[in-house]
Amino acid sequence: MHSANMPGHRNNQTLRRRRRSCPHAPAVASLLLSSSLLMSVASAFRLVGSGVARRSSLAFARPNVGSRTARPVVGGFGPCRNGAARAPSFLHSSATEVEERAAESTATANEQYDALNKSSGLTGSYDPSLFESEIYSWWEKAGCFDPDAKQSADSARSAGREPYVLPMPPPNVTGRLHMGHAIFVALQDVLARFHRMRGRPVLWTPGTDHAGIATQLQVEKALQSEGKRRGTDVEIANASDEEKEKLVGRTEFLEKVWEYKEEQGGAITSQLRSLGASADWTRERFTMDPALSVGVTEAFNRLHEKGLIYRGTYMVNWSPGLMTAVSDLEVEYTDEEGKLYFFKYLVANDDGSPSEEFLPVATTRPETIFGDTAVCVNPNDERYTHLIGKRALVPMSDNGESGSMRSIPIIADEYVDMEFGTGALKITPGHDPNDYDIGKRFDLDILNVMNKDATMNAACGSRYEGLDRFDARTKLWGDMEEAGLVIKVEPHTQRVPRSQRGGEIIEPMVSKQWFVKTEGMGAKALEAVKGGEIEIVPKRFEKVWYGWLNDIRDWCISRQLWWGHRIPVWYVGDTNDEYIVARNEDEARTKATEAGHPADVNLRQEDDVLDTWFSSGLWPFATVGWPQDEDSSDPNTDLARFYPGTCLETGYDILFFWVARMVMLGIELTDKSPFSVIYLHGLVRAADGSKMSKTKGNVVDPLDTVAEYGADSLRYSLVTGVTPGQDIPLNMEKIAANKAFANKLWNACKFVTGNALKDLEGEELEALAVNGPIGMEELEGLALPERYIVSKCHELVGSVTKDIESYQLGAAGSKIYEFLWDQYADWYIEISKTRLYEGFGGGGEDAKTAQRVLVYILDTSMRLLHPYMPYVTEQLWHHLPRQSRLDGGVAGGNSLLLAP
């Protein structure tokens, strides 16, 4: 029988009825007898031996190391660091210096926030803008995010507490915060804070990516506004004095990019801080840090030595605007209205002259006709079987004159869909990925008919050479119409590939590039998941993982850019026929002389840079000291302690482009999977489930949201009510509701501290401090309502712990909400008034019991809620009774984040 008087029913029933009714008593009785439950609750209050934290000399401040330009202040936070990374472990300060600095910092940091917060009392209503930035500054300056903030490395090792390591997906160094960043911060911070509070050393490695294309594009736009552009050494050497003024060479261009990075590069990390990210910023890295650049060069050399990197000609996505190959991730497909052009492919007579017979062919890109090297039909298509083996004449290949036209074979392949178009397919291996595959099967010629800027080249004839591809389309179709080769034109909706950065239409193009052989590496990554070495959450993405890795293609890693890691290849002499892969030019010269070349032979480094995803693929191990520390026997190097990582949390949309490549490179270069769990979140969408878009006007800005509702409300809205891998519809009503929840917690704490405990002080207050779980003996001595609420709290601790450990973060967060609102605030606080006040029949021992339980439940609940809503729980928790800070405790020891 369910009573409306129990928790979960927010009504105005009398206190007498609330106190009398408790239908869950049988369940409570059995719950109280569960020793295993009490043990799980005890683990949530695990006491951790104190010890001075070992941290680097940067642990208590955020100086602009090596920076020439001060960072802007964002959201009330102080100047952020530039891209400079924490020094490798072999450059750290001595343990003595570290301990001295830790001790000096503790008192100052605590005085700035902890003591002042408590002494000010709880007044007014919940207003996160008054304390969020102050709390974060205190956490960071006190070194709370250091993996050794709670205990030393040796203490953790002795206690068997394995580190919990989260590599943060590095945002673009010059980027700005969006909801994609907000969701990963919210989820990863839940994991980091939860495991840190459970006593494990937690390393959440932050950093930024150099974002080759995005960053270079911004600098090029700035140059264009000045009437300048990039110029190669050859262009500059051959230019007139006037033209030279408009050209910027590689060295000067890179200086301008670094300047832009210095000016813009700190905003994103300050914005991540505003969301409460408890990452160890003393270990902040940048993909072009000197130490990480060494790792990139080393990885390229080792993969080449294994025969896994080669130079070859292959079909790539070419961006005419950026003048570089781009990855699949940097191509966005949109459905756009276009045209389907139907025309005649004349069948050739035996002497090569055109016959009266023709093949009707349809295309969406007439300008690529110049690159056709075959016409393909389905072998089962009776309309065309008599033409298989004959030759067809490429329209206008006589340059519009009466000369002979180029002939190409008519071939048959079941790939051709007989129902689409005319059932006859023009094959252009140089400008279509599917045609490229057919061309390989039939050993067809590959013709490139476009220049790098997507103008037509000499292969198209003088009438079309130099025309933009779309202008050439118009002119060619007009010429074909005059020649009687046009059949018709129909409207046609097609998927158009556009550059994510530049917006222009991508041109599939065959180009000589550098590639990584991925078949063998992909097989190892596949087996890591199949064999259980890596778990993917949610499990349904395992099928996607297997499907992609079973059909993997070699990875094009070269980019025709200047900003990025320059490929460590040196060409010998004046041609590109012979090259040497080396770690630096000195090593390349040594290899050249060993190969018989003179000591002064001309060596030219490859102009191309590596794909940004190549350096990002090394992130889990390069950020902790690979390859510098891989041969070290010191168990306390970051590489020894924090690699492999524990969990890689990221969006499912980059499962292949980044996650799979990290796994492949990690296994190949370190013989270890880089992490044991891949946790995938969905995409944050508008309230109606549609994609957020500036065009639609439905973008929710996280910084504006934080300013209005607070970071806690946004974080909680992103994490709760969803399951792993599912997209997250976000609306302001949900965020507002979660701000109301934070306000509810605020008022509950005000009641406890300002009413229930108002007459207590000194030892009486300290006696109520929560130092561990209520045990069986004390539970049995409580009245039924207190036994009920304490038992439900213990059940909640076990359930939330289990959920988070199994990566069901949304479910865990929702349970805390329901318990605090329904069970504690709306039910037990009302019950407690009958214990606290003599006018309701309370007072004496009943009042003391109620005070004990009120504080116990609130303290426990705030510990559970802290990973989700760190700011409000930190602010409120300091007003609850607790023991004085332990002597010799670590900096930030008064923080809920590090509380015993």
Side-chain angles (χ1 to χ4, degrees):
M1 177 178 176
H2 189 80
S3 169
N5 299 323
M6 290 306 293
H9 294 265
R10 302 176 194 153
N11 53 34
N12 295 317
Q13 300 295 327
T14 64
L15 295 177
R16 181 183 300 274
R17 289 179 64 191
R18 283 182 181 267
R19 186 173 185 178
R20 187 173 58 226
S21 178
C22 190
H24 294 288
V28 173
S30 63
L31 196 62
L32 298 181
L33 298 176
S34 172
S35 61
S36 62
L37 176 61
L38 285 176
M39 290 177 64
S40 72
V41 175
S43 69
F45 294 91
R46 181 183 292 123
L47 293 175
V48 178
S50 61
V52 178
R54 178 180 181 271
R55 48 176 67 81
S56 81
S57 61
L58 298 177
F60 309 107
R62 296 189 343 240
N64 243 351
V65 179
S67 175
R68 299 189 298 273
T69 308
R71 293 286 179 271
V73 175
V74 179
F77 294 90
C80 74
R81 294 162 53 95
N82 70 344
R86 171 192 169 104
S89 56
F90 52 80
L91 296 179
H92 288 175
S93 303
S94 69
T96 302
E97 291 174 332
V98 169
E99 291 173 1
E100 289 174 354
R101 287 171 181 163
E104 291 171 1
S105 171
T106 302
T108 302
N110 285 339
E111 180 63 26
Q112 287 177 344
Y113 167 73
D114 179 43
L116 294 178
N117 173 33
K118 187 169 184 178
S119 64
S120 65
L122 271 180
T123 58
S125 58
Y126 169 65
D127 184 353
S129 67
L130 298 179
F131 56 81
E132 285 191 348
S133 63
E134 184 181 25
I135 289 176
Y136 193 91
S137 179
W138 176 64
W139 281 332
E140 188 171 3
K141 289 177 180 177
C144 293
F145 307 150
D146 190 292
D148 298 329
K150 198 162 186 175
Q151 73 259 289
S152 68
D154 290 339
S155 296
R157 191 178 295 113
S158 298
R161 299 189 186 109
E162 291 294 323
Y164 189 89
V165 182
L166 281 161
M168 178 187 290
N172 291 354
V173 67
T174 57
R176 293 295 182 271
L177 194 73
H178 56 67
M179 279 299 173
H181 300 125
I183 181 65
F184 88 62
V185 168
L187 290 167
Q188 292 173 31
D189 201 42
V190 168
L191 294 170
R193 289 176 184 270
F194 171 79
H195 288 287
R196 189 183 287 117
M197 294 176 77
R198 299 264 292 166
R200 294 178 69 174
V202 171
L203 176 60
W204 186 12
T205 317
T208 50
D209 187 280
H210 64 276
I213 291 178
T215 306
Q216 177 161 323
L217 183 60
Q218 294 303 315
V219 177
E220 289 191 343
K221 286 181 179 179
L223 287 177
Q224 289 172 5
S225 68
E226 300 171 5
K228 298 180 179 180
R229 67 174 179 84
R230 284 190 295 150
T232 65
D233 291 343
V234 174
E235 284 181 299
I236 294 174
N238 295 329
S240 66
D241 290 342
E242 183 179 351
E243 291 171 335
K244 285 180 181 178
E245 292 296 322
K246 300 178 181 180
L247 297 176
V248 176
R250 186 169 193 143
T251 300
E252 182 183 355
F253 181 83
L254 289 177
E255 288 176 354
K256 291 183 179 293
V257 180
W258 278 106
E259 289 172 3
Y260 177 78
K261 182 262 179 187
E262 289 295 318
E263 292 168 1
Q264 304 292 327
I268 187 66
T269 52
S270 278
Q271 291 163 357
L272 293 175
R273 285 175 167 92
S274 73
L275 293 172
S278 62
D280 185 0
W281 296 102
T282 69
R283 285 176 165 86
E284 181 183 347
R285 307 307 295 267
F286 174 50
T287 48
M288 288 188 67
D289 282 344
L292 269 67
S293 295
V294 168
V296 170
T297 300
E298 185 64 26
F300 188 96
N301 275 261
R302 291 192 190 182
L303 292 174
H304 184 267
E305 289 165 2
K306 291 184 172 187
L308 295 175
I309 284 183
Y310 66 95
R311 187 174 63 141
T313 301
Y314 201 72
M315 176 70 69
V316 298
N317 300 311
W318 185 262
S319 169
L322 300 170
M323 297 282 283
T324 181
V326 295
S327 71
D328 291 340
L329 183 63
E330 292 152 338
V331 178
E332 293 182 340
Y333 288 86
T334 57
D335 290 330
E336 301 180 17
E337 287 299 319
K339 297 177 181 179
L340 192 59
Y341 299 83
F342 294 79
F343 65 97
K344 301 174 182 178
Y345 237 112
L346 300 180
V347 178
N349 291 316
D350 293 340
D351 62 359
S353 62
S355 71
E356 295 297 322
E357 194 170 12
F358 65 87
L359 280 160
V361 175
T363 181
T364 59
R365 307 170 66 212
E367 68 277 12
T368 62
I369 289 173
F370 296 115
D372 291 354
T373 55
V375 177
C376 191
V377 298
N378 192 297
N380 301 312
D381 194 333
E382 295 180 356
R383 293 173 295 176
Y384 307 124
T385 52
H386 68 288
L387 297 176
I388 297 172
K390 293 188 176 184
R391 300 185 73 84
L393 300 175
V394 179
M396 311 311 293
S397 58
D398 60 353
N399 206 26
E401 300 173 358
S402 57
S404 61
M405 291 188 286
R406 181 167 58 89
S407 68
I408 57 176
I410 300 173
I411 60 176
D413 193 290
E414 291 187 349
Y415 167 79
V416 178
D417 182 356
M418 292 187 289
E419 302 301 322
F420 178 76
T422 66
L425 183 68
K426 62 188 283 297
I427 305 299
T428 318
H431 293 277
D432 183 279
N434 296 317
D435 292 1
Y436 180 82
D437 292 338
I438 293 176
K440 287 289 188 183
R441 290 201 296 272
F442 286 87
D443 196 25
L444 299 175
D445 292 335
I446 297 175
L447 295 181
N448 180 14
V449 298
M450 293 186 197
N451 299 311
K452 300 299 185 183
D453 61 356
T455 58
M456 311 310 289
N457 63 25
C460 305
S462 58
R463 297 185 67 178
Y464 308 101
E465 182 181 5
L467 291 178
D468 176 80
R469 53 183 164 166
F470 302 117
D471 293 336
R473 175 184 300 179
T474 302
K475 179 171 177 53
L476 173 62
W477 196 248
D479 292 342
M480 289 175 63
E481 194 166 23
E482 287 184 12
L485 298 175
V486 168
I487 300 175
K488 62 180 178 177
V489 179
E490 291 181 350
H492 177 67
T493 301
Q494 55 191 326
R495 284 179 57 76
V496 178
R498 290 190 176 273
S499 167
Q500 184 187 61
R501 300 298 177 186
E504 77 277 12
I505 294 178
I506 290 295
E507 187 62 47
M509 193 176 291
V510 174
S511 176
K512 184 168 283 188
Q513 303 282 346
W514 289 93
F515 295 89
V516 173
K517 293 180 181 178
T518 54
E519 185 177 358
M521 295 169 65
K524 295 177 184 177
L526 190 150
E527 184 55 37
V529 173
K530 271 190 175 179
E533 191 174 345
I534 296 176
E535 175 190 5
I536 297 180
V537 179
K539 191 177 179 64
R540 70 176 184 275
F541 281 98
E542 287 184 4
K543 291 183 179 179
V544 184
W545 179 269
Y546 299 149
W548 188 75
L549 290 175
N550 278 321
D551 193 33
I552 195 170
R553 295 188 177 186
D554 287 356
W555 172 18
C556 175
I557 57 172
S558 49
R559 299 290 181 267
Q560 289 65 53
L561 303 171
W562 285 355
W563 173 243
H565 296 98
R566 198 167 177 180
I567 294 178
V569 167
W570 282 261
Y571 294 102
V572 181
D574 298 326
T575 70
N576 291 348
D577 296 335
E578 182 182 358
Y579 61 84
I580 293 171
V581 177
R583 289 161 180 81
N584 50 58
E585 186 172 349
D586 288 342
E587 182 179 305
R589 192 164 297 280
T590 298
K591 288 184 176 182
T593 55
E594 289 174 352
H597 294 285
D600 61 350
V601 66
N602 181 37
L603 295 178
R604 294 172 296 107
Q605 188 173 356
E606 169 67 74
D607 287 327
D608 291 355
V609 300
L610 288 164
D611 179 11
T612 300
W613 295 103
F614 186 88
S615 55
S616 298
L618 311 177
W619 190 252
F621 45 99
T623 52
V624 291
W626 183 93
Q628 293 90 342
D629 291 336
E630 66 178 333
D631 295 325
S632 173
S633 59
D634 183 358
N636 288 319
T637 65
D638 280 0
L639 186 63
R641 291 187 65 197
F642 304 123
Y643 186 78
T646 310
C647 176
L648 190 283
E649 193 285 327
T650 191
Y652 65 69
D653 54 326
I654 56 174
L655 177 62
F656 311 129
F657 305 109
W658 185 45
V659 182
R661 286 165 178 169
M662 278 191 288
V663 174
M664 289 191 294
L665 290 170
I667 294 174
E668 195 64 44
L669 295 169
T670 71
D671 293 324
K672 300 174 183 176
S673 294
F675 27 75
S676 54
V677 175
I678 299 170
Y679 178 94
L680 300 172
H681 66 249
L683 305 181
V684 182
R685 296 190 175 274
D688 62 359
S690 64
K691 183 178 180 180
M692 288 189 183
S693 165
K694 291 181 180 179
T695 304
K696 296 179 181 178
N698 62 356
V699 173
V700 179
D701 186 289
L703 295 179
D704 292 344
T705 305
V706 168
E708 183 173 357
Y709 298 97
D712 285 336
S713 302
L714 174 60
R715 288 166 54 114
Y716 204 68
S717 300
L718 290 170
V719 174
T720 57
V722 297
T723 56
Q726 294 291 333
D727 288 349
I728 304 115
L730 184 66
N731 59 63
M732 305 316 292
E733 289 78 11
K734 182 178 181 181
I735 300 172
N738 286 323
K739 183 178 181 181
F741 171 56
N743 187 65
K744 185 85 169 179
L745 183 63
W746 185 276
N747 289 334
C749 192
K750 282 179 66 177
F751 169 78
V752 172
T753 59
N755 288 277
L757 308 181
K758 68 177 181 178
D759 296 327
L760 303 182
E761 56 185 36
E763 292 183 359
E764 287 182 309
L765 276 176
E766 191 162 316
L768 292 174
V770 178
N771 301 313
I774 287 178
M776 185 74 70
E777 184 177 346
E778 185 178 357
L779 266 174
E780 291 175 344
L782 296 176
L784 188 58
E786 281 71 29
R787 271 187 288 161
Y788 172 80
I789 195 67
V790 171
S791 299
K792 296 301 289 183
C793 180
H794 287 181
E795 183 180 18
L796 178 69
V797 171
S799 179
V800 167
T801 300
K802 180 181 178 181
D803 282 344
I804 297 180
E805 287 182 338
S806 59
Y807 295 94
Q808 299 301 315
L809 308 189
S814 296
K815 290 174 182 177
I816 302 169
Y817 179 105
E818 292 165 3
F819 174 81
L820 272 169
W821 193 300
D822 295 335
Q823 308 269 0
Y824 183 69
D826 279 4
W827 184 73
Y828 183 69
I829 282 182
E830 296 303 315
I831 290 289
S832 73
K833 294 174 183 177
T834 66
R835 310 290 211 247
L836 293 169
Y837 307 128
E838 292 182 358
F840 287 103
E845 291 301 317
D846 283 351
K848 291 181 180 179
T849 299
Q851 289 165 345
R852 160 72 164 148
V853 172
L854 282 168
V855 171
Y856 178 80
I857 301 298
L858 189 55
D859 184 292
T860 304
S861 298
M862 282 199 279
R863 292 172 189 260
L864 293 175
L865 185 60
H866 179 78
Y868 294 86
M869 304 182 89
Y871 287 119
V872 67
T873 52
E874 184 76 74
Q875 179 75 4
L876 295 177
W877 184 76
H878 290 275
H879 296 275
L880 295 181
R882 55 194 175 89
Q883 285 187 335
S884 301
R885 182 177 167 279
L886 298 175
D887 292 338
V890 300
N894 281 345
S895 169
L896 173 57
L897 181 61
L898 301 177

